[in-house]
Amino acid sequence: MTSLRKILLLVLASSCLAIPVSAQEQTGMAVSRADASFGTVRREISIDELGFRRGLEFTGFGGSQTLYFPIPETGLLSATLKLRLRSGSAFRSRRSVQIRIADSIATTRALSQQDEEMAIELAVDLTTVEGRFLEVTIAYSGAVTEDRCLDERVSGDFVAVLPDSGLSLELAPAAIADVRSVLALMPQDVTILAPGEALTETESAAILRIASMLLARNASVSYATYERGGLEEVSPGRDWAEGRIIVATGVDAPANPEDGTSTVSVFDTADGPALLVDGSDPAPGAAFLASRWEALASASRLSVETVTESRPEGTDLSFADLGMNLATQSLVDRAVFDVGFKATNLPAGMQPARLDLDLAIGDDFEETNATIAAFMNGSLLATTVTPGAVPATLSATIPTGLFHQANSIRVVVQRQPLTGDCANPPQSFPVLLLPSSSLSLREGNARPRDFFELTSAFGNGVTIFLARETDDRTVLWPGLARIVADLVPPAAAVDVRFGLPAENETQPFILVSPTLPEAISAPVRLDAGRILVTGPGDTTLLDADGLTRQGLAEIVHTSETTGLWIHPGSDGLAAGPGTAGLDRGNVAFLEQGAVTFAFSTERDRLVEVIYPERTSYLALARQYRPWLIGAGWLILTVVFVLGLSRYYRRRSG
């Protein structure tokens, strides 16, 4: 890994990271930017953007949470922490909340018994700020009385940090002068701008790669267009509330020395700093932004020819390799570790087979054993009992049916405190889920049977075929970008082509088209007319005719490879509220980007697909199976009775 990193650093230093150039050189038509008119930019970073969509909540007279706000390394003029709190208590108590900034106590505030809302505004001392993140810790504590004896189960107290709380930054031009800083500080709401006319294959690949990268980072992505030749750089506004990434080729691209070169540069708009991805082939620039090497983009403009990113290999993958956050916790009676991973984090062709946990638990002077329980996706895998002061291990086999596209692991450590009387309050001890914990892997199914298994097939790259009939990007891009983010690993190459795959296609593919070539086998076909999906008792679950509005996604196969066919419908891929990804099953019906109904034609026995307009003898037999079974028994009974009567007549005669 060290040698690979050195090579990549040398390559990027010699050929990728160019010196800063003027705006005129970046776009070929932008107005020149004067530093005097550039001004400052205000950026509001809420804790909602950090992943705490519902804010923070503490109860039981205790709790803390550390937040990490992104900040620039240079050019930070001021930073103000703005918190909105809501608190209350059912009983009289003494409660307080403490705020620590950069590992120093900034303030402590008392909380009253009555329900109240409180606003806390603290100026950050910039002399204590280091690195690219600002550490803010919110700690809550309290007690009912002055006595130390307390049962927190009946406290009836709470403190909530509302999701619009956050950090307000005042940024100088130097703070947003390079690609890395603009991408790190970009707001959660991002608009991707592309030329208004028909897109090229390389532009489409760049848009999909950028959109899937943003969605994987939990950003909210929208799409807009501009007229070719209409890009013009302006002085940014004061408030930076929306991020923008512009994809351009042709007349909007600068003259590149060689075909296939992509450039990524900082571009100033009226809504704040933006990133411009252009060149004769913008796809490599988009792939660079989606890779981990974007942290090296410390210039205002860089040129990219190709991006190669190493993928995890082997049959064991540690939690450190998966990038899991494993902070130390304090164990009084219960400590919980919640971590997760996606199928896209695993090596190509591999699936998890066993979970191996390593924990370090502080010694309890009362010599009380600790109980460790491991859960995956809500199901209990294994438990064990261990004393403190020794490394604890726990291994469990992962059932095949428990693995999904997105997976959660919960490790619960419990210890019964022996406190005696009120003179001996419960004592906390440190516990840590070690990064050496790992997933043991096995080879996945060579022939994917569920959508999430396509991730293994797409691990070494995927070709996305787009039919010209699906060029309505308002319908296509939102849902398709979500599917790419869910099923295509970040390190996998993404290629876009217009048209249909060949009958003997050998590379895994995603096909977006209203029609499917006859040579490609699919569990559900649309060229057979009306589709009737029935459940138990012949209950009609879906009655569709050509899927003019709904979308359809299903796993398809050629003689050489596996693919995903997406029939977009009129709004099947348009993003809507509650957008859901593809997970279990090999057939899914879509509506506004969400899976409305998914099933497996290989496992499910309660769901049947019938084509009423193309009824075969087998379909008729399935439809009238109860009547046919009854008729068969009746015929057998009649034959049996007639045979007996003939037998007795012969004996009597």
Side-chain angles (χ1 to χ4, degrees), residues 262-317:
S262 177
T263 61
V264 182
S265 55
V266 178
F267 192 83
D268 302 329
T269 73
D271 296 311
L275 292 180
L276 175 64
V277 181
D278 60 0
S280 57
D281 182 5
F288 180 83
L289 292 179
S291 70
R292 57 177 175 165
W293 304 115
E294 54 87 14
L296 301 176
S298 57
S300 63
R301 180 180 183 271
L302 58 97
S303 299
V304 183
E305 294 183 2
T306 184
V307 175
T308 301
E309 189 170 4
S310 61
R311 301 182 180 91
E313 298 179 352
T315 57
D316 291 298
L317 205 60

Side-chain angles (χ1 to χ4, degrees), residues 466-489:
L466 301 177
R468 280 298 186 179
E469 293 83 351
T470 62
D471 205 27
D472 185 359
R473 68 194 74 184
T474 60
V475 174
L476 174 63
W477 294 121
L480 181 57
R482 168 55 64 186
I483 292 173
V484 173
D486 289 343
L487 299 182
V488 180

Side-chain angles (χ1 to χ4, degrees), residues 41-45 69-72 75-82 101 121-129 133-136 166-172:
V41 173
R42 181 186 295 117
R43 173 76 169 93
E44 303 282 347
I45 305 176
F69 292 92
I71 57 175
L76 179 59
L77 300 178
S78 66
T80 304
L81 181 65
K82 300 178 180 179
I101 301 178
E121 189 167 320
L122 300 171
V124 178
D125 183 3
L126 299 185
T127 60
T128 63
V129 176
F133 291 93
L134 178 65
E135 180 180 328
V136 175
L167 186 69
S168 177
L169 303 177
E170 196 78 15
L171 306 174

Side-chain angles (χ1 to χ4, degrees), residues 425-501:
Q427 177 66 45
S428 64
F429 299 89
V431 57
L432 174 62
L433 179 62
L434 297 174
S436 58
S437 302
S438 63
L439 291 172
S440 295
L441 308 177
R442 62 173 178 82
E443 292 187 2
N445 295 327
R447 187 177 185 273
R449 301 194 306 168
D450 290 282
F451 291 116
F452 73 88
E453 292 182 335
L454 289 171
T455 300
S456 297
F458 296 158
N460 293 320
V462 60
T463 302
I464 301 177
F465 292 92
L466 301 177
R468 280 298 186 179
E469 293 83 351
T470 62
D471 205 27
D472 185 359
R473 68 194 74 184
T474 60
V475 174
L476 174 63
W477 294 121
L480 181 57
R482 168 55 64 186
I483 292 173
V484 173
D486 289 343
L487 299 182
V488 180
V494 176
D495 186 22
V496 173
R497 299 179 189 174
F498 294 144
L500 301 175

Side-chain angles (χ1 to χ4, degrees), residues 415-427:
R415 173 184 280 160
Q416 178 63 48
L418 303 177
T419 58
D421 54 26
C422 296
N424 298 311
Q427 177 66 45

